[in-house]
């Protein structure tokens, strides 16, 4: 079986009912346009780590299907990471199905996460933007609700009146509107399971929606302007945002940056990370902390200074956000990590990137063949703990299998 044949089987047999339609479509696109042209005809059982590493290097330089003016044929680092994750998961399934002994993606090096810079509207810009939308009767309610809730673009377009609890001032996020495909506007699940949530609205937003409901012409809170029986197209919201930004002479931020603006304002005005994570529908509080670390770090320093003042009676200065900027020009001292020499049978730990460590243990099974076992963690210490627990379990399983074979 070739890798291309296995990926088709993996998509249609193992993944078709486990991921959203949009995710499935993205997987198929990566397989057809990036993976198959390079490795599609390679026999699955003969793939090597070195071969996949060469593939990552090649697809990074020449993997873009349509040449871009700025980037040419070079793929973004995030796309290479997505290709790696797809290959890794598909080959992990192949290992479990005993089609291959080891996962050849283990041990490869992929680009680090290079998130695009978050652009948020500062207080002055936000005030200017609010003045502009106030004059836009058709779009005012939409952008006001977005800036006071931080919903994803598809989520706010997918709101129905049945989701609005006007008595308690709450909104239920149950669905998301996607991009038009084959002339159809898809309406499906939220991005993640935690995306299905209930959020408490600011009083002004509750009042705004109550007034809007009085003149509602359909089931959608924000319907298509020309076809009220349909939800608002997310692309229309993005396009009109650019119009408003140009009109107000503001930076041409992305729609998602309105979400960042809401989150930043919420943290700066005292909302705790757990509440914010639930409100905007992140998988966990860790995700929120990672994305808004520059804000949460400042909050922690401010809290520490306040405690110092109240408990110890000092005159500790409460730091501000701008004090995070380094004032020294010399690079900080750097000492490379020197791993300890590991004893035989204790596995190995590899740092994949700044936030991901891989633990690997490859013993001989009860049949005398090498088999790889892998775990992942965010820190080296956590990875060591998980690896030790996994090794103990694997050894017990091998011992039990050997005993069974003797009988």
């Amino acid at each position: 079986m070739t890798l291309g044949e296995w990926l088709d089987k993996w998509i249609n047999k193992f993944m078709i009912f486990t991921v959203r339609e949009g995710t499935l479509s993205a997987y198929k696109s990566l397989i057809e346009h990036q993976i198959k042209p390079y490795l599609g005809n390679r026999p699955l059982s003969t793939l090597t780590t070195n071969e996949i590493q060469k593939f990552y290097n090649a697809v990074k330089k020449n993997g873009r299907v349509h040449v871009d003016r700025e980037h040419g044929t070079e793929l973004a680092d995030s796309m290479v990471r997505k290709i790696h994750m797809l290959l890794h998961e598909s080959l992990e399934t192949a290992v479990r199905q005993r089609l291959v002994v080891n996962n050849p993606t283990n041990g490869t090096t992929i680009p680090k996460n290079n998130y695009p810079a978050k652009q948020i509207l500062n207080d002055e810009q936000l005030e200017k933007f609010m003045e502009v939308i106030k004059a836009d009767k058709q779009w005012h309610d939409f952008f006001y609700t977005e800036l006071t809730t931080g919903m994803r673009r598809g989520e706010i377009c997918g709101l129905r009146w049945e989701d609005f609890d006007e008595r308690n001032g709450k909104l239920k996020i149950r669905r998301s509107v996607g991009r038009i495909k084959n002339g159809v506007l898809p309406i499906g699940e939220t991005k993640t399971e935690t995306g299905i949530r209930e959020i408490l609205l600011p009083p002004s937003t509750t009042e705004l929606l109550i007034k809007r409901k009085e003149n509602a012409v359909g089931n959608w809170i924000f319907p298509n302007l020309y076809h009220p029986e349909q939800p608002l197209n997310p692309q229309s919201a993005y396009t009109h945002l650019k119009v408003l930004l140009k009109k107000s002479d503001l930076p041409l931020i992305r729609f998602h940056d309105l979400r960042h603006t809401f989150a930043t304002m919420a943290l700066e005005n005292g909302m705790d990370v757990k509440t914010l994570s639930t409100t905007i529908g992140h998988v966990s509080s860790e995700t929120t902390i990672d994305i808004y670390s520059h804000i949460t770090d400042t909050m922690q320093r401010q809290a520490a200074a306040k405690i110092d003042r109240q408990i110890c009676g000092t005159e500790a200065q409460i730091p501000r956000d701008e004090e995070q900027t380094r004032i020294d020009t010399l690079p900080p001292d750097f000492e490379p990590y020197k791993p300890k020499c590991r004893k035989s049978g204790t596995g190995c730990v590899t740092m994949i990137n700044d936030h991901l460590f891989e633990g690997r243990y490859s013993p001989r099974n009860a049949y005398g063949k090498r088999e790889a076992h892998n775990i992942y963690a965010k820190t080296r210490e956590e990875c060591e703990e998980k690896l030790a627990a996994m090794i103990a379990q694997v050894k017990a399983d091998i011992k039990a299998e050997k005993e069974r074979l003797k009988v």
Side-chain angles (χ1 to χ4, degrees), residues 28 51 76 96 153 230 277 292 294 336 366 407:
K28 289 180 178 179
E51 188 174 17
R96 291 193 292 270
R153 183 171 41 154
Q230 299 177 9
S277 178
Y292 302 106
H294 63 295
V407 176

Side-chain angles (χ1 to χ4, degrees), residues 337-350:
Y337 175 80
K338 297 178 181 179
K340 298 178 181 178
C341 294
R342 305 183 71 91
K343 294 181 181 179
S344 177
T346 61
C348 65
V349 173
T350 304

